[in-house]
């Protein structure tokens, strides 16, 4: 790490861990299905690391990504070969499925060429070149000669990655060097991510801790050797700590 | 275990002893179906592989030097201090920011807003600018940013009872009463350790392979140790401020005093989120146990004598334990059972001819005593057995840093994936996930300090579930796979069923490993969170005397009996664990 303290004022270096935590929460709160959140998050992370849409796109497109139906992707085969129709989904939402299909197509013969059409923010598919390393594959992405709507992905199977630096070189660099982000934008994203946190109510405070204080002040549980300010457990919460959306319906 | 049971066990052991001369079990790792039960995981005991003990092994062997370079703290505890830890592999600085005690906003939970000390562990030597910047940023916590070479931010609170008693006693020129100290076990308690990228701290995965603090949790444990060092220094300082005739804590009592630790539901989420680490750690522990059980030939008798000595330490430790436990076994019961273990070792050592005929005496001993023992007693024996193979255990400890990423294998067929589910997740297939009781709870984090909480859905205003509903995911995935042609590739399956992507990646990545996921439904009424909290606290962190509260929280003592900085530099006793109460 070579950053200086002084430089932190304008630009922050964010660790992969806190970037993932923040992205997970943002996409969860944007209603991306929990089974897809890690994949979408990794695409966004790679985008930020590669200087693509990155952090501003997270802020601007998270709601649209969350509104997408990931099962809209389909595959057709015609005289030009296999074509993946992404159904207008954002590249970060469709990317994992597209990459899997490309690798699956390439595995029998070692290589495959696949057309992909109807991807929103398709320039973001460039992240697949980084993520393909995880599967022991390389992909090259180019424009389609027969129309502006499609891209061509050439996938090649190579040796399985061994060292962490081979598994995902972009992630490896980000782990060591951090991810740069404008400080103002980062704190904006941080607040956005807080929407995934639940309201702090007196009742919810009983869902953790070594003792429970009931509404009438009764203490349930053995005494702890903590010095405890019981007002913390009985008073109404301070709502100013985050900008959580309290009206959001419970996710069940 | 009752006296009648113990007598029966001893009789069975004697009978077994005569019947199976020359017959030795072949030591092997345990079946995950046994080991991965939450109640069994809760019974695992501290060992040489526990993070705190592993750190001390290294600190003792390498004679780490801990110096206090600065102390500018007033009689109200306000001010700063600076410590330096010098190791053969590098220097670390530990600036401390100390605050006056105030009762408002104080709780052992993460939602607390009052701390007696905050500190940072910085790859040193730290510059004045780094220390100054840390002092500005650290109190902001969630809104603050660590300096680039910072590994950990931490905070601690005093146990007023033990702390105030110690200050008063020392100021009066006498030692604190052991009874007061032993009821708690520490002067200060860790209330937060944040690192590995949090708040801008350095990512552990970016640490060099030979970095002193590269092993998982090593940096956190060093901070906890330094809290203990600071707590004793602060007590001495405050006593001196009260009286010029104040004395210092007797070194024997200093060793006995540990550092407190409170843990709760967040560790269940940690276990969910770090299956590679859990698998690697448990596998390493099992491997060390197998190695100890495999001791044979001329090495067997000395090993048994060493084990006899270690069991004796554990007996005394348990006999002197003053803590009360809610659901966990009382220490006097464990002590009684350990005495029968010691008797069994005596019996083996007494018959040298028969002992010589046994191929794996440690394995025989374990098999012999296990049927009558409480799981905690048995796990105590197994942890102590690891001390018989210190080099093996230490080498395994160097293999714990693992890659924790998940990825899909798109070319695998649906049939193959389903085969993995049936081979490795049978426990989840039969678990009730549909009844109201089985799906009653939600795991969430509150906006208040991001405290992990678990409660019935109907009591939560709204929440995104953060808990891993593994049995349900496995069952749902199995049903979906059953509806797909067996030859379908995972790539095609996930195209049609994209919501299974995360669980498919998890199952595929962890295939072939048995110890990654406790066999539990954490959404269920039946689930007892403290089982998993205890796995982390006791077995992995190495915390002693872990009192349980409401089935979800634990208070315990780290570095109980550990060498002081003066001991480390002078050459400390490696057998510091399970300390005997000092006679002052």
């Amino acid at each position: 790490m070579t950053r200086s303290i002084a430089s932190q004022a304008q630009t922050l270096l964010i660790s992969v861990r806190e970037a993932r935590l923040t992205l997970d929460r943002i996409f969860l709160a944007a209603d991306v299905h929990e089974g897809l959140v890690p994949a979408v998050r990794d695409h966004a992370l790679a985008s930020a690391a590669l200087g693509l849409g990155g952090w501003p796109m997270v802020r601007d497109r998270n709601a649209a990504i969350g509104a997408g139906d990931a099962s809209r992707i389909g595959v057709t085969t015609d005289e030009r070969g296999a074509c993946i129709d992404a159904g207008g989904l954002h590249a970060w939402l469709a990317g994992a499925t597209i990459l899997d299909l490309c690798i699956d197509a390439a595995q029998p013969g070692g290589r495959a060429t696949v057309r992909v059409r109807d991807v929103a923010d398709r320039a973001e598919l460039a992240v697949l070149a980084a993520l393909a390393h995880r599967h022991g594959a390389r992909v090259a992405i180019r424009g389609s000669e027969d129309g502006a709507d499609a891209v061509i992905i050439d996938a090649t199977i190579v040796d399985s990655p061994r060292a962490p630096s081979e598994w995902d070189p972009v992630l490896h660099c980000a782990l060591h060097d951090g991810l740069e982000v404008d400080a103002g934008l980062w704190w904006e994203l941080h607040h956005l991510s807080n929407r995934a946190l639940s309201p702090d109510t007196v009742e919810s405070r009983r869902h953790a801790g070594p003792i429970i204080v009931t509404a009438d002040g009764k203490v349930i549980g053995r005494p702890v050797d903590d010095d405890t300010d019981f007002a913390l457990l009985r008073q109404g919460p301070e709502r100013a700590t985050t900008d959580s959306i309290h009206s959001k319906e419970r996710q069940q | 275990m009752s006296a009648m049971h113990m007598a029966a066990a001893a009789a069975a052991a004697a009978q077994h002893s005569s019947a199976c001369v020359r017959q030795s079990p072949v030591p092997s790792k345990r079946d995950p179906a046994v080991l991965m039960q939450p109640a069994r995981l809760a019974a695992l005991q501290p060992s040489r592989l526990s993070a705190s003990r592993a750190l001390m092994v290294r600190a003792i062997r390498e004679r780490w030097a801990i110096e206090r370079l600065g102390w500018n703290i007033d009689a109200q505890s306000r001010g700063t201090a600076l410590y330096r830890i010098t190791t053969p592999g590098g220097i670390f600085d530990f600036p401390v920011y100390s605050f006056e005690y105030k009762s408002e906003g104080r709780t052992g939970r993460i939602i607390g807003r009052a701390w007696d000390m905050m500190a940072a562990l910085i790859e040193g030597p730290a510059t004045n600018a780094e220390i100054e910047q840390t002092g500005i940023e650290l109190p902001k916590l969630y809104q603050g940013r660590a300096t680039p070479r910072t590994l950990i931010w931490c905070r601690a609170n005093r146990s007023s009872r033990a702390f105030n008693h110690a200050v008063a006693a020392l100021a009066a020129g006498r030692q604190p009463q052991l009874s007061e100290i032993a009821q708690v076990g520490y002067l200060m308690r860790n209330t937060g350790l944040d690192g590995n990228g949090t708040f801008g701290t350095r990512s552990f995965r970016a640490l060099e392979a030979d970095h002193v603090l590269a092993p998982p949790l090593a940096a956190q444990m060093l901070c906890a140790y330094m809290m203990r060092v600071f707590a004793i220094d602060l007590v001495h300082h405050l006593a001196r401020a009260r009286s010029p005739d104040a004395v210092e804590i007797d070194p024997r009592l200093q060793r006995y005093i540990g550092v407190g630790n409170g843990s709760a539901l967040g560790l269940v989420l940690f276990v969910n989120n770090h299956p590679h680490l859990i698998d690697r750690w448990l596998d390493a522990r099992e491997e060390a146990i197998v190695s100890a059980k495999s001791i044979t030939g001329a090495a067997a008798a000395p090993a048994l004598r060493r084990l006899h000595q270690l069991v004796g330490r554990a007996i005394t430790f348990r006999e002197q334990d003053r803590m009360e436990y809610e659901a966990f076994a009382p220490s006097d019961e464990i002590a009684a059972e350990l005495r029968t273990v010691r008797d069994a070792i005596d019996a083996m050592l007494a018959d040298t001819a028969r002992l010589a005929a046994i191929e794996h005496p440690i394995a025989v001993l374990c098999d012999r005593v296990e049927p009558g023992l409480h799981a905690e007693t048995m796990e105590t024996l197994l942890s102590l057995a690891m001390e018989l193979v210190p080099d093996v255990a230490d080498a395994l400890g160097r293999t714990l840093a693992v890659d924790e990423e998940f990825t899909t294998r798109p070319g695998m067929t649906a049939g193959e994936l389903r085969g993995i589910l049936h081979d490795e997740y049978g426990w989840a297939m039969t678990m009730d996930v549909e009844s109201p009781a089985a799906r009653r709870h939600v795991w969430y984090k509150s906006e208040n300090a991001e405290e992990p909480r678990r409660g019935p859905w109907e009591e939560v205003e709204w929440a995104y579930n953060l808990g891993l509903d593994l049995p349900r995911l496995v069952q749902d995935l199995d049903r979906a796979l059953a509806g797909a042609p067996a030859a379908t590739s995972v790539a095609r399956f996930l195209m049609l069923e994209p919501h299974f992507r995360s669980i498919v990646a998890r199952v595929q990545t962890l295939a072939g490993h048995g110890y990654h996921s406790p066999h539990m439904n954490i959404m269920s009424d039946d689930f007892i969170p403290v089982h998993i909290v205890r796995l982390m606290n006791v077995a992995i962190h190495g915390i002693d005397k872990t009192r349980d509260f409401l089935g979800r929280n634990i208070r315990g003592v780290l570095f109980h009996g550990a060498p002081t900085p003066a001991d480390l530099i002078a050459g400390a006793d490696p057998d510091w664990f399970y300390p005997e109460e000092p006679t002052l």
Side-chain angles (χ1 to χ4, degrees), chain A residues 222-227, chain B residues 157-166 176-190 228 231 253 255-262 317 320-325 543-549 554-561 579 581:
Chain A
R222 293 188 298 149
V224 191
D225 42 84
D226 301 331
D227 300 334
Chain B
N157 278 348
R158 61 184 69 169
S159 161
S160 292
R161 174 180 173 177
F163 191 97
N164 294 341
H165 168 77
Q177 289 181 15
L178 184 66
S179 57
E180 283 295 313
I181 299 296
Q183 290 290 348
V184 179
Y186 55 84
L187 300 172
M188 274 193 172
R189 183 185 61 257
N190 159 42
R228 176 194 194 229
L253 184 56
R255 288 180 204 112
Y256 188 77
I257 293 170
V259 63
N261 188 82
F317 182 73
Q320 293 179 339
D321 183 4
R322 302 166 190 239
M323 304 299 181
E324 290 182 10
Y325 304 94
I543 298 176
D544 289 312
K545 296 182 175 172
T546 48
R547 289 165 291 157
D548 49 324
F549 298 88
I554 276 181
R555 291 284 185 276
V557 188
L558 264 170
F559 298 111
H560 193 18
E581 287 185 354

Side-chain angles (χ1 to χ4, degrees), chain A residues 1 172 174-177, chain B residues 196 202-209 211:
Chain A
M1 300 272 256
H172 185 71
L175 281 166
H176 283 78
D177 301 335
Chain B
N196 195 16
R202 223 187 140 188
S203 292
F204 292 160
R205 287 173 66 186
L207 299 182
E208 302 73 21
H211 195 285

Side-chain angles (χ1 to χ4, degrees), chain A residues 30 32 58 60-69 72 88-90 93 120-121:
Chain A
V32 173
V58 172
D60 299 337
R61 303 301 301 270
N62 70 85
I65 293 167
D69 175 5
R72 287 212 304 255
L89 296 178
H90 191 275
L93 184 60
D121 284 319

Side-chain angles (χ1 to χ4, degrees), chain A residues 4-200:
Chain A
S4 68
I5 294 169
S7 69
Q8 288 183 68
Q10 310 303 322
T11 302
L12 296 179
L13 269 181
I14 301 301
S15 73
V16 167
R17 185 168 180 232
E18 56 190 338
R20 281 179 160 172
L21 180 70
T22 300
L23 291 169
D24 280 349
R25 289 180 181 173
I26 288 172
F27 291 124
L28 197 60
D31 288 335
V32 173
H33 191 281
E34 61 185 356
L36 284 164
V37 164
V40 174
R41 164 253 279 165
D42 279 359
H43 283 65
L45 192 68
S47 174
L50 291 167
L52 300 169
W55 305 114
M57 187 171 278
V58 172
R59 176 192 58 198
D60 299 337
R61 303 301 301 270
N62 70 85
I65 293 167
D69 175 5
S71 65
R72 287 212 304 255
I73 302 174
V75 179
T76 58
T77 305
D78 58 21
E79 67 281 2
R80 290 174 298 181
C83 180
I84 300 170
D85 184 340
L89 296 178
H90 191 275
W92 295 351
L93 184 60
T97 299
I98 293 170
L99 184 58
D100 276 359
L101 290 168
C102 288
I103 290 166
D104 186 33
Q107 273 176 336
R111 62 180 62 238
T113 296
V114 177
R115 295 175 71 238
V116 182
R117 61 176 301 276
D118 201 14
V119 181
D121 284 319
R122 65 180 177 175
E124 293 295 312
L125 287 179
V127 302
L128 300 188
L131 298 173
H133 287 254
R134 300 178 176 195
H135 300 276
R138 302 286 182 272
V139 300
I141 297 154
R142 55 192 165 91
S144 170
E145 294 169 358
D146 59 353
D149 184 41
V151 296
I152 305 294
I153 298 180
D154 297 309
T156 308
I157 305 298
V158 294
D159 289 340
S160 295
R162 292 184 178 85
S165 58
E166 296 170 350
W167 190 80
D168 185 336
V170 172
L171 178 66
H172 185 71
C173 287
L175 281 166
H176 283 78
D177 301 335
L179 295 151
E180 282 199 359
V181 56
D182 172 80
L185 176 54
W186 173 252
W187 292 117
E188 200 176 337
L189 293 171
H190 178 76
H191 287 292
L192 199 56
S193 75
N194 284 341
R195 295 185 307 165
L197 303 175
S198 295
D200 175 44

